[in-house]
Amino acid sequence: MTTDPATDDRSPGVPNRPSAATLRDVAEAAGVSKASASRALDPASQYVSSNMRTRVLDAAGRLGYRPNASAQATTTGATAMVAVLVSDIRDPYNAEIVHGVIEQAGASGLVATFAGTDHAIDDEIRVVRMMRSLRPHAMILTGTRSGSTVSRSSLEDELARYTHEGGRVVIAGDDELPFDTAVVPRLRGASALVDELFRLGYRSPALIRPDRDSAAARRWEDGVVEAAERHGMRIERGAVARAPMTRDGGYDAAADLIARRPEHLDVILAATDAMAIGAMTAMRDVGLTPGAEIGVAGFDDAVGAEDVTPGLTSVDLALARVGAASVELALTGSGDRRRIEFEPRVVVRGTTPVRPR
Amino acid sequence: MTTDPATDDRSPGVPNRPSAATLRDVAEAAGVSKASASRALDPASQYVSSNMRTRVLDAAGRLGYRPNASAQATTTGATAMVAVLVSDIRDPYNAEIVHGVIEQAGASGLVATFAGTDHAIDDEIRVVRMMRSLRPHAMILTGTRSGSTVSRSSLEDELARYTHEGGRVVIAGDDELPFDTAVVPRLRGASALVDELFRLGYRSPALIRPDRDSAAARRWEDGVVEAAERHGMRIERGAVARAPMTRDGGYDAAADLIARRPEHLDVILAATDAMAIGAMTAMRDVGLTPGAEIGVAGFDDAVGAEDVTPGLTSVDLALARVGAASVELALTGSGDRRRIEFEPRVVVRGTTPVRPR
DNA sequence: CTGAAAGCGCTTACAG
DNA sequence: CTGAAAGCGCTTACAG
């Protein structure tokens, strides 16, 4: 028919372009000055008569007034915003962290703005540049990143620019970049898991680790090996399998491990819950009951560990808390580089019963 | 040591509070007026000598200048922002949609701002109010919501306020709210799946559906039943099991179905891939090979459907496209209520081989 | 306690 | 093509 009603409707003398109520509108409706309206609307402002306050609040309510955050930001020079750079939101680990960020941001009266970086440092650089325009209170980087050394230092430069203009940078997940970090306790978690398994009586673990190398996988393996050595548990050669990071990868690796069963093998540790669940199926397919003859433990306690039977022993990495802590780090400024690491929680379920010795 | 270097350093005569370079800084550095600097920085502006442009661009580069988005927004009255309200980012369905939103927003030069609503309409109302302050170009609502009728109409009121002031509202996922919608094609997907199974020779399906009722589950079941009836396939009484929406739920339901095997049962349809994968395990545990005697199909093709052996037949709901389409709907205004629905894609894998008749 | 005025960092007619 | 000026919607000293 006619053009967009949202921008049209310019009948003579009736300038009716839709637009939000402004402070001026509220002030006029309440019959006071803009300054007074502004104060009355600010819960922290003291010098306001209660009469004034109610009149203004009334008018604001009637008009559905919401302050213009952009105007507030240009006036005060501060935004109530954190920018989050996330490699891939579909990754459950990232999603869990992001969930924590959103929750904590909401609780702190901040809004969280997101951009995807697709694991590529060059994307991150671009995104940091873009986000700088928003003058967010802080930027939180999560997920993994890969790129050339040149890219990496460009990223650091761009982030340095941002901190020089008063912004805060927080890394959620690993501590490879020189900023405040909320650490995902992979190493510590893996090692606590082995501690617990030792306590339960296990002595001879086999490992299923991802065939593609990553910092995450390395931390897990380092933690396992460190604790195993500490307890004098031996990981036999031939007791480490590499496989794709999927359920079927875990299945094949476990089948393989069981076939050429290392001498005293009494528990299989997988780098992810999905692989561990695959391993459980592999055990069943050769007539073993997970937990009965050989224990099984996963890692991350992300998806489905409690959905299987018996429940899968795993490690809760407190990812949502990592996300929340990132926001808190962003909020509490400091000169020094800080590092928060939560205690991971080993969750013992049916796949690792006490092993009498 | 001393106080925060970021806010300190107020040596007499050296006011060095860190803050971003402004247009004025750029103009001064380039020796031109702010107006000229502004134009030179705007790629769309025509009336700029190339000499002027390079000088300004140079200065901006040296200073690491990034325009203040808030100031731009208060000047122009427009933000390059979409606000996304998501019930729970940890839900893989939402994550997939959100991924599409982030991608498309990035491609369109928009930033995406998120808030969690925890499935509660009252949270959504609160969040809409908060987000209205940001004057986003559009709000995109995704995920499910529950709340009283009163709450629901309050939400509609708050959203109406927003549209009255020129904002756009888009629903990603279902079309229960009276706004533009990018639909998740559950009904259509379920019915296309049954079409395909019929073509493959299956005639007698059993259903595993979630025990908790939801719009999503209903759409799936409606689609299945509609297509089955259309093809004259009979779903016997006793051929519908209800179970928790987990792998184990699927396991138990399938075990049950198989135990009291309905007469001609030749394929089991589960409402989610997770349940279907559980069903596959149940089949194995009674000596059946998924796909050999009885077919299995999941739904959503979200997690792990191709990781199992044989691969699980499922339906790709194109959730990322739903997210991307939401952004496009937000960008292309219109007076009428619009509804975009993509064609879901049935992905046939090893669990449903051709069934010779 | 209240209001007039200045200013935040921009953009954009309006004159040259 | 360039610059001075006005204005966007706020907040906050500064006077009353």
Side-chain angles (χ1 to χ4, degrees):
Chain A
M1 316 255 118
T2 142
T3 51
D4 184 359
T7 56
D8 200 46
D9 204 29
R10 307 198 177 155
S11 338
V14 187
N16 193 20
R17 198 171 57 102
S19 64
T22 70
L23 184 63
R24 162 206 283 268
D25 297 329
V26 174
E28 282 177 0
V32 304
S33 70
K34 276 165 45 186
S36 294
S38 179
R39 284 189 213 99
L41 257 11
D42 174 7
S45 183
Q46 313 233 272
Y47 310 97
V48 189
S49 66
S50 62
N51 170 39
M52 165 79 79
R53 182 152 268 157
T54 46
R55 274 169 64 197
V56 171
L57 256 25
D58 254 40
R62 273 201 311 282
L63 296 174
Y65 172 73
R66 298 262 57 216
N68 181 322
S70 291
Q72 289 184 134
T74 99
T75 299
T76 65
T79 60
M81 173 179 287
V82 294
V84 184
L85 281 60
V86 52
S87 51
D88 185 347
I89 191 72
R90 294 170 298 183
D91 181 332
Y93 309 133
N94 289 332
E96 188 79 24
I97 292 175
V98 164
H99 173 75
V101 169
I102 291 180
E103 291 286 288
Q104 184 60 44
S108 306
L110 300 171
V111 304
T113 289
F114 289 80
T117 60
D118 206 24
H119 300 284
I121 288 195
D122 290 328
D123 272 335
E124 280 188 314
I125 297 170
R126 201 176 42 69
V127 168
V128 171
R129 278 187 61 75
M130 186 178 99
M131 289 288 193
R132 278 216 288 133
S133 267
L134 298 176
R135 307 285 190 267
H137 181 78
M139 295 202 200
I140 297 176
L141 276 63
T142 184
T144 56
R145 68 208 89 258
S146 57
S148 66
T149 319
V150 176
S151 294
R152 185 168 296 265
S153 87
S154 301
L155 174 62
E156 291 191 27
D157 288 353
E158 194 66 37
L159 288 171
R161 277 218 142 105
Y162 173 63
T163 60
H164 285 336
E165 53 195 37
R168 304 197 51 75
V169 175
V170 177
I171 312 295
D174 65 50
D175 47 3
E176 286 169 6
L177 255 18
F179 299 97
D180 288 351
T181 305
V183 181
V184 172
R186 290 185 198 277
L187 194 146
R188 187 178 293 200
S191 124
L193 171 64
V194 171
D195 289 350
E196 183 62 34
L197 292 176
F198 180 83
R199 208 167 298 131
L200 290 170
Y202 295 89
R203 291 296 179 267
S204 188
L207 273 48
I208 302 179
R209 59 154 296 169
D211 53 0
R212 284 188 47 191
D213 193 48
S214 73
R218 235 172 300 131
R219 297 246 162 72
W220 172 79
E221 190 166 12
D222 289 350
V224 168
V225 169
E226 176 277 316
E229 285 180 356
R230 186 154 37 74
H231 292 298
M233 298 158 82
R234 61 159 169 279
I235 302 177
E236 316 189 22
R237 31 347 27 202
V240 179
R242 289 169 167 265
M245 226 169 67
T246 64
R247 168 179 325 282
D248 269 17
Y251 181 99
D252 294 341
D256 196 47
L257 279 172
I258 294 170
R260 50 170 226 280
R261 172 111 55 133
E263 218 172 329
H264 306 294
L265 171 60
D266 57 10
V267 61
I268 294 179
L269 305 192
T272 72
D273 284 352
M275 294 175 100
I277 291 174
M280 289 173 67
T281 305
M283 294 172 73
R284 282 231 171 69
D285 281 1
V286 297
L288 299 174
T289 303
E293 301 83 1
I294 301 177
V296 186
F299 199 65
D300 277 343
D301 202 39
V303 265
E306 49 188 347
D307 283 356
V308 289
T309 311
L312 174 65
T313 291
S314 187
V315 179
D316 175 357
L317 294 177
L319 296 173
R321 291 180 69 194
V322 168
S326 305
V327 175
E328 279 160 2
L329 281 174
L331 249 30
T332 60
S334 143
D336 309 318
R337 180 173 171 197
R338 293 167 300 170
R339 191 172 180 287
I340 289 188
E341 181 165 0
F342 291 108
E343 214 54 57
R345 200 168 52 90
V346 178
V347 185
V348 177
R349 299 199 180 88
T351 55
T352 58
V354 175
R355 187 100 340 187
R357 302 202 69 75
Chain B
M1 318 256 118
T2 142
T3 53
D4 183 358
T7 56
D8 200 45
D9 205 27
R10 307 198 176 153
S11 340
V14 187
N16 193 21
R17 199 172 54 104
S19 63
T22 71
L23 183 64
R24 162 207 281 269
D25 298 328
V26 174
E28 282 177 0
V32 303
S33 71
K34 274 165 46 186
S36 294
S38 178
R39 285 188 211 99
L41 256 13
D42 175 6
S45 184
Q46 312 234 272
Y47 311 96
V48 190
S49 66
S50 63
N51 170 39
M52 166 77 81
R53 181 152 269 155
T54 47
R55 273 169 64 198
V56 171
L57 255 25
D58 255 40
R62 273 200 311 282
L63 296 174
Y65 173 73
R66 298 262 57 215
N68 181 322
S70 292
Q72 289 184 134
T74 100
T75 300
T76 64
T79 60
M81 173 179 286
V82 293
V84 184
L85 281 60
V86 52
S87 51
D88 186 346
I89 192 71
R90 293 170 298 183
D91 181 331
Y93 309 133
N94 288 334
E96 186 80 24
I97 291 175
V98 164
H99 173 76
V101 169
I102 291 181
E103 290 286 288
Q104 184 61 43
S108 306
L110 300 171
V111 304
T113 290
F114 289 80
T117 60
D118 206 26
H119 299 284
I121 288 195
D122 290 328
D123 272 337
E124 280 188 312
I125 297 169
R126 203 176 39 72
V127 168
V128 171
R129 276 187 62 75
M130 186 179 98
M131 289 289 194
R132 279 215 288 131
S133 268
L134 299 176
R135 307 285 189 266
H137 181 78
M139 296 202 200
I140 297 176
L141 276 63
T142 184
T144 55
R145 70 208 88 256
S146 57
S148 66
T149 318
V150 177
S151 293
R152 185 168 296 266
S153 87
S154 301
L155 175 61
E156 291 191 27
D157 287 353
E158 195 65 37
L159 288 171
R161 277 219 141 104
Y162 174 62
T163 60
H164 285 335
E165 54 196 36
R168 305 197 49 75
V169 174
V170 178
I171 312 296
D174 66 49
D175 47 2
E176 286 170 3
L177 254 18
F179 299 97
D180 288 351
T181 305
V183 180
V184 173
R186 290 185 197 277
L187 195 146
R188 188 179 292 200
S191 122
L193 171 63
V194 172
D195 289 351
E196 182 62 33
L197 293 174
F198 181 82
R199 208 167 297 132
L200 290 169
Y202 294 91
R203 292 296 179 267
S204 189
L207 274 49
I208 302 179
R209 59 154 296 168
D211 53 359
R212 284 188 48 192
D213 193 47
S214 72
R218 236 172 298 130
R219 297 245 162 72
W220 172 79
E221 189 166 13
D222 288 352
V224 168
V225 169
E226 177 276 316
E229 285 180 355
R230 187 155 34 75
H231 291 298
M233 298 159 81
R234 62 161 169 280
I235 301 176
E236 315 188 24
R237 32 347 28 205
V240 180
R242 288 168 166 264
M245 225 170 68
T246 63
R247 166 178 326 280
D248 269 16
Y251 181 99
D252 293 341
D256 195 47
L257 280 172
I258 294 170
R260 52 170 226 279
R261 174 109 57 133
E263 220 173 328
H264 307 292
L265 171 61
D266 57 10
V267 61
I268 294 179
L269 306 192
T272 71
D273 284 352
M275 295 174 99
I277 291 175
M280 289 173 68
T281 304
M283 293 172 72
R284 282 230 171 70
D285 281 0
V286 296
L288 299 174
T289 303
E293 301 83 1
I294 300 177
V296 185
F299 199 65
D300 277 343
D301 202 38
V303 267
E306 49 188 346
D307 284 355
V308 288
T309 310
L312 175 66
T313 291
S314 189
V315 179
D316 175 358
L317 294 177
L319 297 173
R321 291 180 68 194
V322 168
S326 305
V327 176
E328 279 159 2
L329 281 174
L331 250 29
T332 60
S334 142
D336 309 319
R337 180 172 171 198
R338 294 167 300 169
R339 192 173 179 287
I340 290 188
E341 182 165 359
F342 291 108
E343 214 54 55
R345 201 167 52 88
V346 178
V347 185
V348 177
R349 300 199 181 88
T351 55
T352 57
V354 174
R355 187 98 343 183
R357 302 202 67 76

